[in-house]
Amino acid sequence: MLTEAEKRQRASGVLLWLVGLNPGVLTMVQHSPLGETLGRERMLFNLEQAVAKYAASLSQITTG
């Protein structure tokens, strides 16, 4: 279900990021089609990393 929801949202211009997954869930997601779609770029260790990555992407947009 999450894979299909991610696909629909991506088609609408919305990117799904997963943050703070516990080790068991992270392993399961990494080995799923959703994990292949998200890649390491969209699965982040904690909220601080996610916010920093988002802020960096905004600064690239405004300066690029």
Side-chain angles (χ1 to χ4, degrees):
M1 286 174 43
L2 276 175
T3 303
E4 289 302 315
E6 187 281 333
K7 187 184 293 184
R8 285 191 307 274
Q9 293 302 311
R10 188 169 15 101
S12 299
V14 176
L15 291 179
L16 172 69
W17 291 9
L18 299 179
V19 177
L21 298 174
N22 70 46
V25 174
L26 176 61
T27 299
M28 185 175 67
V29 171
Q30 286 174 326
H31 292 93
S32 73
L34 178 61
E36 291 177 25
T37 299
L38 297 178
R40 297 185 125 195
E41 303 81 33
R42 292 173 31 196
M43 287 188 278
L44 301 151
F45 179 69
N46 58 38
L47 182 59
E48 289 79 15
Q49 286 181 342
V51 170
K53 184 171 182 148
Y54 180 73
S57 70
L58 288 180
S59 68
Q60 287 178 351
I61 291 170
T62 58
T63 60

